[in-house]
Amino acid sequence: MQKSTEQSEARERETEWQDWLELVRRQVSSLKYGTVQITVHDSRVTQVERVEKVRLDRPNPGSTR
C-alpha cells in the first residue's frame, strides 16, 4: 500500500512540475522585455510573477541625437 501512495505522490509532483513549467514557458515566450520571477516555498513553486517593460525607441524631443 505504501508503494502505491508513493507512486501517486510522485505522479502528483510531476504533474505540478509540468504545470508551472508550462506557465513559465508561456510567460517567457510572450515577453519582449522584462522579467519572470519564480517564488519557491518549502521546495515548491508557489508563485510566478511577470513584469513587462515597454521600450520607447523614439529620441527625446530635446535630444541632440
Side-chain angles (χ1 to χ4, degrees):
M1 184 72 168
Q2 185 177 358
K3 188 174 184 178
S4 176
T5 301
E6 289 173 0
Q7 288 174 338
S8 177
E9 289 174 355
R11 279 194 303 272
E12 184 178 322
R13 282 191 305 272
E14 179 68 21
T15 299
E16 202 174 274
W17 184 83
Q18 289 173 353
D19 289 347
W20 73 257
L21 184 58
E22 180 56 34
L23 174 62
V24 170
R25 191 176 284 137
R26 283 194 318 263
Q27 295 298 318
V28 170
S29 69
S30 63
L31 188 63
K32 188 166 183 178
Y33 298 104
T35 60
V36 175
Q37 181 174 341
I38 301 166
T39 302
V40 177
H41 183 74
D42 289 334
S43 300
R44 297 182 97 121
V45 174
T46 58
Q47 184 171 312
V48 177
E49 292 181 65
R50 172 184 154 149
V51 177
E52 185 169 2
K53 297 180 186 250
V54 177
R55 301 267 172 117
L56 304 175
D57 292 329
R58 291 177 263 152
N60 291 335
S63 176
T64 58
R65 287 202 227 165

